Amino acid sequence: MVDFPVVQIELYIPDEYVEALQEELNKINVGRMGNYDSVLSITQVTGVWRPLEGANPFEGTVGEVTHSHESKVEVHCNWEDVPRALAAIRAVHPYEEPGINVIPLLNHLFE
């Protein structure tokens, strides 16, 4: 039994993939709040990483530190929709190892 009906999914994705991500999430009703859909928060960030031997990086070179502009996307998701949301994110996301966090929200405890 899950004690939190809603989670926040946050992820980091290249700017040019945000619109496709929003469309895919909207198709499965992720990012819906009340009478609104396509609800995302987007923050511009600088990502830093170094691909290690055996990596196949979308951007950067194995063994070298890369700095790149990307978007941090935050979206609310019902707990039961998390598996479909993660599948949709991975279908759109170009990174070999996308950074995705699923964070429980406890707002319902205070309503």
Side-chain angles (χ1 to χ4, degrees), residues 1 5 8 15 22 48 55 66-67 77 96 101 105:
M1 180 74 165
Q8 178 172 293
D15 299 337
Q22 185 176 24
V48 180
T66 300
H67 295 75
C77 179
E96 184 176 26
N101 299 315
L105 298 178

Side-chain angles (χ1 to χ4, degrees), residues 24-25 28 81-93 100:
E24 288 304 306
L25 293 175
I28 59 172
D81 295 327
V82 170
R84 291 185 317 137
L86 294 177
I89 291 166
R90 289 187 174 106
V92 171
H93 209 298
I100 304 169

Side-chain angles (χ1 to χ4, degrees), residues 54-71:
N56 182 22
F58 169 75
E59 184 178 352
T61 304
V62 171
E64 295 180 14
V65 174
T66 300
H67 295 75
S68 183
H69 294 285
E70 55 186 355
S71 292

Side-chain angles (χ1 to χ4, degrees), residues 32-101:
R32 188 172 188 120
M33 296 181 79
N35 293 325
Y36 296 85
D37 71 2
S38 299
V39 179
L40 302 176
S41 292
I42 303 166
T43 308
Q44 299 303 305
V45 299
T46 300
V48 180
W49 63 89
R50 177 179 22 225
L52 301 176
E53 197 63 43
N56 182 22
F58 169 75
E59 184 178 352
T61 304
V62 171
E64 295 180 14
V65 174
T66 300
H67 295 75
S68 183
H69 294 285
E70 55 186 355
S71 292
K72 177 184 179 184
V73 176
E74 299 169 278
V75 62
H76 284 194
C77 179
N78 292 325
W79 173 253
E80 63 270 10
D81 295 327
V82 170
R84 291 185 317 137
L86 294 177
I89 291 166
R90 289 187 174 106
V92 171
H93 209 298
Y95 292 173
E96 184 176 26
E97 299 288 342
I100 304 169
N101 299 315

